[in-house]
Amino acid sequence: RGAAGGPPPTATSMPPSKAASEWKISNTWDVCLERLVVNSGIGFIVGGLAAVVLSRRGRFAITAFGGGFGAGMAWTRCSIDFDKEKSQALKHAEELMSKPPKV
């Protein structure tokens, strides 16, 4: 629990330099899963509407294509987000390794 018995701090409520890496990764996962659900849902809806308007047969295939397109967009964006987190973590590790040890 947070200070004064409140809810625990989240990565979004803390300054970026103070957020623990576990919170950053957890927050990234949350955003990625949310993005997957939203983009897939929008893809299914748009694909379904396109299937109704454009086709008499194969509606399922067009609808599934729309959902897969949305999921692919979410996957790509999540990959970019995780690569960014990884590069920030490596940069921080290099900074820590370059400092001389304190005696």
Side-chain angles (χ1 to χ4, degrees):
R1 296 186 77 60
T10 62
T12 56
S13 68
M14 298 182 71
S17 61
K18 299 291 183 183
S21 61
E22 292 87 8
W23 291 345
K24 289 179 183 179
I25 296 296
S26 177
N27 191 36
T28 303
W29 269 112
D30 290 344
V31 170
C32 285
L33 292 175
E34 178 183 352
R35 189 178 289 136
L36 175 70
V37 170
V38 170
N39 286 1
S40 295
I42 290 171
F44 277 119
I45 291 170
V46 170
L49 291 174
V52 168
V53 171
L54 300 174
S55 174
R56 291 182 185 235
R57 296 182 190 205
R59 289 183 179 168
F60 176 75
I62 296 172
T63 304
F65 177 78
F69 192 82
M73 287 175 34
W75 179 275
T76 301
R77 183 63 195 169
C78 287
S79 177
I80 292 168
D81 290 347
F82 278 113
D83 285 343
K84 185 172 73 170
E85 289 290 333
K86 183 175 77 170
S87 68
Q88 288 175 353
L90 290 174
K91 181 180 175 183
H92 182 67
E94 287 174 359
E95 288 174 3
L96 290 176
M97 295 298 287
S98 66
K99 291 181 182 178
K102 293 181 181 180
V103 180

